């Protein structure tokens, strides 16, 4: 009787090890556990119930064998269950995808709208033979104001208008300092534009920002006059907008140019037909840029003979051009990083 019990225990061990190796799910493991350890029908449980049928000498030995078998099976099932749980958790971390689904278009991005307009302006001037010059955004008081004929008591130096780092260092308020640097390093003829970021203490609203982009231009040579300036700006504006665009020049004042002018363009939206036009306010004209003949004192400061050479300079805001050209009502849209807005103008 004991020999027969030992054979059954050995057979149960062998079958258990084979089945345990191929089990992959909690359901299969639960069925194997019930097959061996279920109280009513489990194979090991049924063998335990037969111990009273053995002789008194055989019972202790048989009980020991069956208890060892039961404990061993329980431990192996517990280990197998833990392994299955770990595999399930690992599978959850794997990103599955359906290879039959249609592919999603890969958005590669595009230059920002401001950069696109800036490139368009640069391209116009490159075709006219201009070079592109750059300079530092953190400037000295000398280059930003003093060399441009802006004295210490000029309103532009007000602490409320300019970001000062200390008494002599500031964030540039225009790209005009680059003009000074170019005139210091190069002899005429000079024919360059200066694009870049500038900074002013403006409250952000629909038409103002503490940081914005400018493109300034400078031409210095013998015999340069206001007619050259007027012709250059007409080419620029009519290329950017339309060959039928109408311009007007209004006398103005800038410390670094004399004479100076504000340049307006006819409103492309209403052409003075709508007194409530959101673009021009019903005037029919939009201020587009400032310009003028380079002041002799600025030329002298940079070591250029003002009796021999003359020149003109101008400056425009890139955001303003973009707003007019593309009908953008609020300057803040350019800096909100909203792809729904930016994608409308991508190249």
């Amino acid at each position: 009787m004991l020999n027969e019990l030992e054979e059954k225990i050995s057979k149960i061990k062998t079958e258990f090890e084979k089945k345990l190796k191929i089990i992959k799910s909690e359901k299969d493991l639960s069925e194997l556990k019930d097959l061996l350890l279920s109280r009513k029908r489990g194979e090991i449980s049924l063998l335990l119930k037969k111990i009273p049928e053995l002789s008194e000498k055989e019972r202790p030995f048989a009980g020991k064998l069956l208890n060892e078998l039961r404990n061993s099976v329980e431990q192996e099932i517990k280990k197998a269950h833990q392994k299955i749980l770990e595999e399930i958790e690992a599978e959850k971390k794997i990103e599955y995808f359906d290879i039959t689904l249609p592919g999603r278009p890969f958005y590669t991005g595009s230059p920002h709208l401001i950069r696109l307009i800036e490139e368009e302006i640069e391209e116009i001037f490159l075709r006219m033979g201009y070079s592109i010059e750059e300079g530092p955004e953190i400037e000295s008081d000398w280059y930003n104001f003093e060399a441009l004929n802006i004295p210490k008591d000029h309103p532009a130096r007000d602490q409320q208008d300019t970001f000062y780092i200390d008494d002599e260092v500031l964030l540039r308020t225009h790209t005009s300092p680059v003009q000074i640097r170019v005139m210091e390093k190069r002899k005429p003829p000079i024919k360059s534009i200066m694009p870049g970021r500038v900074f002013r203490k403006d409250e952000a609203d629909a038409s103002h920002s503490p940081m914005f982009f400018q493109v300034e231009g400078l031409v210095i040579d013998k015999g340069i006059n206001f007619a050259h300036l007027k012709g250059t700006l007409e080419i620029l504006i009519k290329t950017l907008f339309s060959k039928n665009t109408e311009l007007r020049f209004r006398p103005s004042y800038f410390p670094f140019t004399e004479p100076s002018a504000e340049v307006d363009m006819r409103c492309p939206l209403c052409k003075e037909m709508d007194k409530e036009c959101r673009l021009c306010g019903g005037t029919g004209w939009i201020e587009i840029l400032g310009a003028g003949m380079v002041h002799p004192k600025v030329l002298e400061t940079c070591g250029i003979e003002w009796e021999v050479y003359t020149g003109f300079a101008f400056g425009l805001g890139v955001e303003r051009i973009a707003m007019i050209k593309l009908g953008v009502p609020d300057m803040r849209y350019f800096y909100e990083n909203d792809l729904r807005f930016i994608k409308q103008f991508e190249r």
Side-chain angles (χ1 to χ4, degrees), residues 100-117:
T100 65
L101 289 173
R104 297 177 180 175
F106 183 72
Y107 179 60
T108 56
S110 170
H112 191 276
L113 173 58
I114 295 300
R115 182 56 192 149
L116 292 176
I117 298 297

Side-chain angles (χ1 to χ4, degrees), residues 56-98:
E56 291 183 6
K57 291 182 180 181
E58 294 174 330
R59 287 174 193 168
F61 184 69
K64 180 182 178 182
L65 290 177
L66 288 172
N67 283 328
E68 288 176 351
L69 175 61
R70 181 176 62 186
N71 292 336
S72 175
V73 168
E74 286 177 346
Q75 290 178 3
E76 291 300 320
I77 288 176
K78 187 176 181 180
K79 290 179 182 179
H81 184 245
Q82 183 62 33
K83 184 179 179 181
I84 290 172
L85 291 178
E86 290 173 357
E87 290 174 351
I88 291 172
E89 191 64 28
E91 287 178 356
K92 288 180 180 179
K93 296 179 180 179
I94 299 175
E95 183 179 354
Y96 288 98
F97 60 93
D98 187 349

Side-chain angles (χ1 to χ4, degrees), residues 212-344:
F212 57 98
F213 287 79
Q214 271 192 340
V215 175
E216 295 194 9
L218 174 70
V219 173
I220 304 291
D221 204 350
K222 294 178 181 178
I224 297 297
N225 57 48
F226 205 93
H228 295 120
L229 169 61
K230 185 173 183 292
T232 299
L233 295 181
E234 284 186 347
I235 292 173
L236 170 65
I237 301 305
K238 291 184 177 184
T239 305
L240 280 172
F241 295 96
S242 165
K243 64 180 181 180
N244 297 319
T245 301
E246 185 180 351
L247 297 181
R248 74 177 183 185
F249 289 71
R250 290 181 291 108
S252 185
Y253 166 76
F254 301 110
F256 34 83
T257 54
E258 180 60 40
S260 305
E262 297 282 2
V263 183
D264 303 332
M265 64 176 286
R266 180 70 74 178
C267 178
L269 193 62
C270 76
K271 296 181 173 60
E272 208 174 5
M273 300 295 289
D274 183 0
K275 295 302 180 183
E276 297 182 359
C277 176
R278 61 176 175 78
L279 195 56
C280 68
T283 65
W285 295 95
I286 304 169
E287 183 181 312
I288 195 85
L289 56 86
M293 301 300 294
V294 179
H295 198 291
K297 189 170 182 180
V298 174
L299 294 175
E300 184 179 17
T301 299
C302 296
I304 296 175
E305 298 176 79
W306 61 270
E307 300 94 339
V308 178
Y309 294 100
T310 54
F312 64 77
F314 57 87
L316 55 88
V318 180
E319 288 85 349
R320 186 158 184 79
I321 297 293
M323 292 171 73
I324 298 170
K325 186 177 176 67
L326 302 171
V328 177
D330 195 316
M331 185 176 178
R332 289 168 291 192
Y333 291 166
F334 297 130
Y335 304 111
E336 290 178 347
N337 296 325
D338 189 335
L339 286 178
R340 295 172 301 177
F341 170 76
I342 294 173
K343 283 184 176 182
Q344 296 179 64

Side-chain angles (χ1 to χ4, degrees), residues 47-62:
L47 291 177
L48 285 169
K49 291 178 181 180
K50 291 184 178 181
I51 289 180
E53 299 177 5
L54 300 175
S55 64
E56 291 183 6
K57 291 182 180 181
E58 294 174 330
R59 287 174 193 168
F61 184 69

Side-chain angles (χ1 to χ4, degrees), residues 150-212:
I150 302 176
K152 293 289 185 183
D153 57 352
H154 194 278
R157 291 171 174 261
D158 195 312
Q159 294 281 352
Q160 302 303 313
D161 296 329
T162 305
F163 289 103
Y164 282 91
I165 297 173
D166 57 36
D167 290 341
E168 296 297 326
V169 181
L170 49 86
L171 297 182
R172 66 184 182 186
T173 58
H174 42 196
T175 58
S176 299
V178 186
Q179 296 186 29
I180 302 298
R181 292 176 181 275
V182 170
M183 286 189 283
E184 284 182 340
K185 294 177 182 178
R186 289 165 47 186
K187 293 182 179 181
I190 296 170
K191 198 176 180 182
S192 304
I193 59 169
M194 299 80 184
R197 289 190 301 182
V198 299
F199 309 86
R200 296 179 189 175
K201 278 189 174 180
D202 289 333
E203 293 291 334
D205 59 28
S207 58
H208 296 85
S209 172
M211 185 278 293
F212 57 98

